[in-house]
Amino acid sequence: MAIFSGAFTAVVGFVSTTLGISVAAATTLTQVGISLAISALTKPKQPTIPPQEVQANISQAAAARRRSYGKVLLGGVRAFFEAKDGVLHIIIVHNEGVVSEILDFVIDGEKVVLDGSGVTTDTDGAFSFDGLVRIQTRNGTQSGYADLLAAFPAMWTAAHRIEGSVTTYARLTGPSPSRISAIFPKGANTVIQMIVNGAEVFDPRTDTTGFDDNPALVARDFMSHPDGMRIPEIHFDDDAISTFADICDAQGYKAAGTYSLNDEPRNVLEAIMKTCDGQPYLTPEGKIGLMGGQYSEPDVTIGQDDILEVNWETGVDAMTDFNVLKGIYTSADHNFKQEEAPERRNEALLDIQAERTETLDVPWCPDGNQMQKLMQTFEMRERPRYRVNIVTNLVGIKARFPKGDGIHTIRIDHPRIGGVYEVLSHGYSAESGKCKIGLRSTFDAWSDVDLKPLSPGLAVLTQNVQVKPVPAGLALSQEIVAISGQTSGVQIVAQVSDPDRNDLQLIVEFKQTGASQWTRMNVGEGALRAVSGVVAEGEYDVRAYWFGQGALEADYPEGTITVISNPTVPATPTEFDGSVSGSSASLFWVNASANYSATRIFRNTVDSYAGASFVDDVAGLAGQPSSFTESPAAGTYFYWAVTLNPSFVPSPETASVEITIA
């Protein structure tokens, strides 16, 4: 590839006057070319707005405006943030100018579906947030949100238009205090985002404007846009840009990212070009074209007789250069987070030397296979066979301008360094009759890429990809607790079955039947058992759910218990034993002879009563034999039985019975 520093420097004045942009902007274009010519795809200075900040909700008095290209996840800047009458009102400015399409809304990392009024629903498994969130949006039109105007007539008026931007107005209604942590675990810091197809761009191939993430078209739009480099349309060579756009389509190159209007234009243009191994250049007519993206067979050969001077060195130092290459891109398949592509390892070198790692970071690259192609190209460029500087006669002028159908290459016919080279720099002097050309050896690293499998993507944008179950096996009892001296009281005990997941926290609430206020019971970290503390006699409702988003109140398992102050602990069941018949486990025992209500069965996969799961309550007659049969999955199980008195006070457990189901 080549953008020739001499050529660009010479036209800075022309660009800054004739093209109608500032000297700084013209110099920017020059610097982009020089930087990419020196080392294509090496790390440029990244735009000043990193992906993490793009996706966050930021509270800032004065923030730079942002524009986006391609498919991106956008947070934004809070323009309004006030609570009133239990409702939090938020205005978020996501993007400067219109976007092609708003695809999805995301709250705290979960995609949500909205009904016709903008209220979150549970359609197609999306998270509803209990219908307590309402979202409205404006795509570049006036932000005349009627509900906000009515709620805060003195703070937000019709003059607050935010016209020309993409905005969201979110209303978050506060749930009951016991549900706040489940529905809005981040509270006032709840993050509201949208997934969009960004700005529409002009395609000179079809003479139409629409959404496209082709890097050639994105770069052209950025260079011409009033919020970009502001180069007038007349100064683009659209034939050259169309050729490069075709190359990007054929190679599968895409660009997706967001820039701040405070970013250095050269950094933004470099970030776009980095996604396609491309660069801008000046055509012989002095117009702007784009090139790169693939190998180009040279049509210029410079022979030994035309070379007046040659300086060369090998392009690889096996003792200092990297032998492991990592690549980082922004993956739409992984919640738009930065993802590592499969690394490239030089196993031959790793067998004889320590690991030396280089990382290629292309945040505007949205695809893992595209990233692997860029990594292979980067490795070729950073580890060429030769780096060469030659001085030729004026025949070397033939090497000045590229064909524009890929990287800029020439062929050198020389006994020591013969081969195909990429042109990095070119200068000439008509007075001396000499050309100076900077080169590095190259080959076709684009057509045969060693693609490795990528990490699986997330089919649904969600932080918790597992479906949260409804608590099962809710069992209620009461327990005697010491208060002081000989004084004791009764507390409610609730227990649920083990969900076989360590990422869930049990929440249990109770209230007296007929009351409206629920009270949280005490649950140890990771425990399956909750206790109320001492309560008065009476009837109580108890409900349980798992901590996290998406659990509807209709999903609560609920139960009722009548607390009776019977502090007498009943006797343990006797003659507890078991047997197996086919796939069934059968248990036998004799019920307690007094203070008896039922016998409760517990089961565990290890011989430990602590943590055993509730199985069933078995009714019977005091002092009489009783039995229970179940058919669990194959495995070894340990069973226990306890007696419950009429106040649900349990007895000590029996010794365990071991049963193995084949």
Side-chain angles (χ1 to χ4, degrees):
M1 263 189 273
I3 294 183
F4 310 110
S5 58
F8 264 90
T9 302
V11 300
V12 167
F14 166 77
V15 172
S16 63
T17 56
T18 309
L19 273 64
I21 63 175
S22 67
V23 172
T27 304
T28 288
L29 192 59
T30 304
Q31 290 171 334
V32 172
I34 295 171
S35 172
L36 288 172
I38 291 172
S39 185
L41 287 181
T42 52
K43 297 179 182 177
K45 293 179 181 178
Q46 300 300 337
T48 56
I49 178 168
Q52 297 88 339
E53 185 177 325
V54 170
Q55 298 170 10
N57 288 170
I58 301 171
S59 296
Q60 193 169 329
R65 296 175 296 164
R66 307 169 176 183
R67 286 189 75 237
S68 301
Y69 293 105
K71 184 178 179 180
V72 291
L73 173 66
L74 297 178
V77 178
R78 294 189 183 112
F80 190 88
F81 190 82
E82 293 289 339
K84 183 177 182 180
D85 299 330
V87 178
L88 179 61
H89 301 256
I90 307 172
I91 291 279
I92 299 172
V93 181
H94 299 280
N95 192 79
E96 175 69 16
V98 301
V99 295
S100 177
E101 185 179 6
I102 297 172
L103 301 173
D104 285 296
F105 289 95
V106 180
I107 303 177
D108 279 351
E110 308 287 2
K111 278 186 181 178
V112 295
V113 176
L114 309 180
D115 65 15
S117 300
V119 178
T120 53
T121 73
D122 58 358
T123 303
D124 298 327
F127 286 79
S128 73
F129 291 88
D130 281 7
L132 297 175
V133 179
R134 182 186 179 193
I135 289 178
Q136 297 173 276
T137 190
R138 301 285 187 269
N139 188 6
T141 59
Q142 179 183 351
S143 57
Y145 295 110
D147 290 344
L148 185 63
L149 291 168
F152 299 92
M155 297 179 64
W156 192 268
T157 69
H160 295 84
R161 300 169 65 90
I162 322 183
E163 199 162 12
S165 298
V166 180
T167 62
T168 287
Y169 169 39
R171 290 165 43 99
L172 280 62
T173 302
S176 63
S178 63
R179 296 285 288 150
I180 288 178
S181 62
I183 300 175
F184 300 116
K186 295 183 180 179
N189 294 317
T190 296
V191 179
I192 299 172
Q193 302 161 305
M194 60 169 59
I195 300 173
V196 305
N197 284 335
E200 296 187 345
V201 297
F202 174 70
D203 189 341
R205 298 172 296 180
T206 59
D207 199 30
T208 59
T209 298
F211 173 76
D212 206 312
D213 52 8
N214 183 301
L217 307 182
V218 169
R220 187 193 187 285
D221 184 85
F222 175 74
M223 287 189 287
S224 64
H225 198 275
D227 290 328
M229 298 178 72
R230 289 179 281 177
I231 299 175
E233 297 280 344
I234 193 172
H235 298 294
F236 291 100
D237 186 329
D238 279 337
D239 288 339
I241 291 175
S242 294
T243 297
F244 187 60
D246 288 340
I247 291 172
C248 290
D249 282 342
Q251 294 287 354
Y253 293 136
K254 298 180 179 181
T258 300
Y259 70 92
S260 160
L261 271 59
N262 284 352
D263 290 343
E264 288 289 340
R266 70 178 298 266
N267 292 343
V268 180
L269 185 55
E270 275 190 79
I272 298 169
M273 291 286 90
K274 201 175 177 187
T275 66
C276 59
D277 179 40
Q279 68 179 96
Y281 72 102
L282 286 185
T283 66
E285 295 75 27
K287 292 194 174 185
I288 299 170
L290 298 172
M291 69 173 184
Q294 67 181 16
Y295 177 79
S296 175
E297 188 66 26
D299 62 351
V300 171
T301 299
I302 297 180
Q304 181 180 3
D305 294 341
D306 296 314
I307 298 176
L308 307 177
E309 182 182 334
V310 58
N311 295 292
W312 62 278
E313 61 182 13
T314 58
V316 180
D317 186 337
M319 301 310 295
T320 60
D321 288 349
F322 64 87
N323 48 36
V324 176
L325 178 61
K326 297 180 179 292
I328 299 176
Y329 65 103
T330 303
S331 175
D333 293 331
H334 297 85
N335 294 0
F336 297 88
K337 298 296 188 288
Q338 290 192 313
E339 185 76 6
E340 283 197 18
E343 60 186 28
R344 295 178 61 85
R345 300 176 63 86
N346 190 323
E347 298 297 347
L349 290 179
L350 288 168
D351 285 342
I352 60 174
Q353 60 188 218
E355 183 174 306
R356 293 189 296 271
T357 300
E358 177 74 18
T359 299
L360 177 64
D361 188 2
V362 189
W364 281 53
C365 173
D367 179 77
N369 289 332
Q370 176 182 343
M371 187 68 216
Q372 292 187 75
K373 183 174 293 189
L374 296 174
M375 291 167 67
Q376 180 162 306
T377 306
F378 176 85
E379 190 172 48
M380 178 273 292
R381 296 192 185 286
E382 291 301 298
R383 301 170 63 87
R385 183 180 182 188
Y386 296 120
R387 300 180 191 272
V388 179
N389 291 288
I390 61 174
V391 178
T392 74
N393 56 31
L394 289 180
V395 169
I397 289 180
K398 295 188 298 181
R400 184 166 184 79
F401 291 103
K403 291 192 298 179
D405 62 347
I407 64 171
H408 181 23
T409 60
I410 63 172
R411 188 179 302 278
I412 300 296
D413 183 6
H414 190 278
R416 294 291 302 273
I417 58 167
V420 178
Y421 287 81
E422 181 181 4
V423 179
L424 301 181
S425 62
H426 190 287
Y428 72 94
S429 168
E431 182 179 355
S432 66
K434 295 180 180 180
C435 296
K436 294 182 178 180
I437 308 173
L439 306 164
R440 67 176 159 209
S441 55
T442 190
F443 59 92
D444 188 354
W446 291 261
S447 60
D448 186 19
V449 180
D450 179 22
L451 295 178
K452 297 181 174 62
L454 303 172
S455 58
L458 303 179
V460 178
L461 182 60
T462 172
Q463 293 176 335
N464 178 10
V465 297
Q466 301 186 73
V467 176
K468 184 163 60 275
V470 175
L474 177 63
L476 304 178
S477 61
Q478 64 182 48
E479 187 176 79
I480 303 300
V481 292
I483 298 177
S484 65
Q486 299 298 314
T487 304
S488 60
V490 182
Q491 66 180 5
I492 301 170
V493 178
Q495 184 157 344
V496 298
S497 300
D498 190 343
D500 197 26
R501 294 237 321 251
N502 58 13
D503 61 326
L504 299 174
Q505 174 65 36
L506 178 65
I507 305 295
V508 183
E509 299 170 333
F510 75 101
K511 65 180 180 68
Q512 281 196 299
T513 301
S516 59
Q517 184 65 44
W518 292 89
T519 301
R520 183 76 60 88
M521 295 174 70
N522 298 317
V523 182
E525 186 70 28
L528 304 175
R529 181 177 185 271
V531 295
S532 65
V534 175
V535 296
E537 289 189 343
E539 187 175 63
Y540 291 84
D541 299 325
V542 181
R543 67 184 185 184
Y545 56 93
W546 296 113
F547 176 82
Q549 298 175 358
L552 301 177
E553 295 197 8
D555 291 333
Y556 291 146
E558 296 192 15
T560 300
I561 182 173
T562 300
V563 174
I564 304 172
S565 296
N566 179 353
T568 304
V569 176
T572 302
T574 58
E575 301 180 34
F576 185 62
D577 203 353
S579 66
V580 62
S581 176
S583 62
S584 298
S586 296
L587 303 173
F588 316 98
W589 66 91
V590 175
N591 296 323
S593 60
N595 203 18
Y596 169 83
S597 174
T599 299
R600 178 164 289 178
I601 306 299
F602 291 91
R603 180 185 64 220
N604 205 344
T605 56
V606 294
D607 193 6
S608 174
Y609 179 68
S613 298
F614 165 79
V615 177
D616 202 359
D617 285 338
V618 182
L621 298 175
Q624 296 299 309
S626 197
S627 64
F628 171 78
T629 299
E630 69 163 358
S631 299
T636 298
Y637 300 95
F638 297 86
Y639 290 88
W640 295 264
V642 299
T643 301
L644 299 179
N645 78 1
S647 294
F648 289 89
V649 175
S651 71
E653 73 275 11
T654 62
S656 64
V657 167
E658 180 179 351
I659 294 178
T660 299
I661 304 296

